[in-house]
Amino acid sequence: MDTNKIKKGLGRGLSSLIGETKAEININKVSISDLVSNKFQPRKIFDEESLQDLTNSIKQRGIIQPIIVRKSSNDSSKYEIIAGERRLLAAQKAGLHDVPVVITDVDDLKSLEFAIVENVQRNDLNAIEEARGYQRLIEEFSYDQEKVAEFIGKSRSHIANFLRLLSLPDTVLKLIETKKLTPGHAKILVGLNNVEFVANKIVEKNLSVRQAENFVKIFKVKKKSFDSSKDSNIQSLELSIKQKIGLNVLIKNKKNNSGSIIFEYKEIDQLNKIIEIIKSNY
């Protein structure tokens, strides 16, 4: 079979990678039991509805695009999947016993590159899976952000923004992975002190990205207003009230234990919220 036909079906990024490797000319048939998962596979979550659609398609037309594999380093009788894990899962659900493959001779770096390129081109990765793929290129293979951007075909700011998402707490990362929060929401949350509270409120209230931007403004306290000499108990109390009512609170306590409490609001609805809280409790 003409290798150019293989290249055309795989997309520009994958075909250029195959062009740099030693691929057998013919497409082979391999038993599903002889295939093992790619240890560099960035994708961890597979949408069940989409997977079922692919399963139905395979039942009707078979696997049109072959799975890219290499010899397993752990077992010479097995092949490790480089690109096409979703196709394999669908083939198993469709009841197939063997699948078409293209066997390549690639190292670990190329294996990771294959997996990332295929998934990014198909928009199959959620934002966190994509970010972790970029992180592996940087940490394990000494890429910098510029090189990742050039290789993937994205802007450097795109790579940087996705990598910043990994600084979020695990509970928030899970909300992004399960698509309860979009990458747009996630970018807003980076750097917030009370990020878990805000993230849960965005999900609870089903806020759009624009609405979420307005919501988080009340939590961004300017550094110049931060009083490092303030008693830690007062700071803890301010944070506790802020988390309960969703508004910035400033407590000024004098030496004689007199003082004031300031609630910061940005719009009339927030003012009404403060008034309702006071009326309902006093």
Side-chain angles (χ1 to χ4, degrees):
M1 182 177 291
D2 187 349
T3 54
N4 287 329
K5 292 182 180 179
I6 298 175
K7 294 179 182 181
K8 184 177 180 180
L10 293 170
R12 185 179 61 182
L14 281 174
S15 64
S16 65
L17 286 173
I18 288 179
E20 299 169 5
T21 67
K22 299 174 183 177
E24 294 186 5
I25 294 177
N26 294 323
I27 293 177
N28 298 266
K29 282 277 190 177
V30 170
S31 171
I32 286 179
S33 62
D34 289 335
L35 298 178
V36 296
S37 295
N38 182 357
K39 58 179 174 283
F40 293 108
Q41 171 60 256
R43 191 176 186 191
K44 305 301 179 186
I45 299 174
F46 295 85
D47 180 75
E48 283 300 324
E49 184 176 348
S50 174
L51 189 60
Q52 188 57 52
D53 288 342
L54 180 57
T55 300
N56 295 337
S57 174
I58 288 175
K59 285 180 178 179
Q60 294 177 356
R61 300 183 296 166
I63 297 181
I64 297 175
Q65 186 180 101
I67 296 171
I68 314 297
V69 301
R70 66 172 177 168
K71 280 283 188 180
S72 171
S73 58
N74 297 323
D75 185 344
S76 60
S77 66
K78 304 287 186 180
Y79 293 95
E80 181 183 281
I81 298 171
I82 297 175
E85 192 137 1
R86 180 168 167 270
R87 268 164 277 154
L88 175 64
L89 291 174
Q92 290 174 312
K93 288 171 69 72
L96 300 187
H97 298 292
D98 49 41
V99 291
V101 301
V102 172
I103 303 173
T104 65
D105 180 16
V106 298
D107 58 17
D108 287 349
L109 172 57
K110 274 289 183 283
S111 179
L112 177 58
E113 289 178 340
F114 263 117
I116 292 176
V117 166
E118 182 191 48
N119 284 296
V120 170
Q121 285 187 342
R122 296 172 182 274
N123 295 316
D124 281 344
L125 299 178
N126 64 57
I128 303 307
E129 290 172 333
E130 186 174 339
R132 285 176 175 150
Y134 299 155
Q135 186 180 49
R136 292 193 76 168
L137 284 173
I138 291 170
E139 292 184 352
E140 298 180 30
F141 299 100
S142 301
Y143 274 45
D144 57 24
Q145 291 187 18
E146 191 69 39
K147 187 173 180 180
V148 173
E150 181 180 352
F151 172 72
I152 298 298
K154 302 281 187 179
S155 68
R156 183 171 179 177
S157 62
H158 172 90
I159 304 300
N161 286 334
F162 271 67
L163 288 171
R164 276 195 285 269
L165 299 182
L166 298 180
S167 66
L168 293 167
D170 289 342
T171 53
V172 178
L173 295 181
K174 181 63 68 175
L175 292 175
I176 302 168
E177 287 177 319
T178 54
K179 297 184 178 180
K180 292 180 180 178
L181 288 176
T182 69
H185 288 114
K187 291 174 187 176
I188 298 169
L189 296 171
V190 174
L192 288 180
N193 292 327
N194 49 345
V195 60
E196 292 178 84
F197 169 77
V198 177
N200 288 325
K201 283 296 181 184
I202 291 173
V203 173
E204 177 187 326
K205 296 178 179 294
N206 194 29
L207 301 180
S208 67
V209 173
R210 178 60 63 83
Q211 289 171 326
E213 286 176 341
N214 292 330
F215 182 69
V216 301
K217 284 179 182 178
I218 64 176
F219 297 103
K220 292 186 175 178
V221 181
K222 295 180 181 179
K223 290 183 180 179
K224 64 181 181 180
S225 67
F226 181 78
D227 184 1
S228 59
S229 63
K230 181 177 291 186
D231 183 89
S232 60
N233 291 325
I234 297 296
Q235 291 179 348
S236 178
L237 183 57
E238 287 177 341
L239 179 60
S240 176
I241 297 173
K242 181 195 300 183
Q243 291 177 336
K244 287 184 181 298
I245 68 174
L247 297 173
N248 276 335
V249 179
L250 178 64
I251 299 176
K252 293 183 178 181
N253 188 55
K254 299 177 183 178
K255 289 183 179 180
N256 63 357
N257 287 329
S258 65
S260 61
I261 300 178
I262 300 174
F263 294 92
E264 181 181 331
Y265 62 91
K266 302 288 186 180
E267 54 190 37
I268 192 65
D269 286 344
Q270 293 176 350
L271 174 59
N272 288 334
K273 180 178 181 179
I274 296 171
I275 294 171
E276 285 301 319
I277 291 173
I278 296 173
K279 284 183 175 179
S280 63
N281 289 279
Y282 295 98

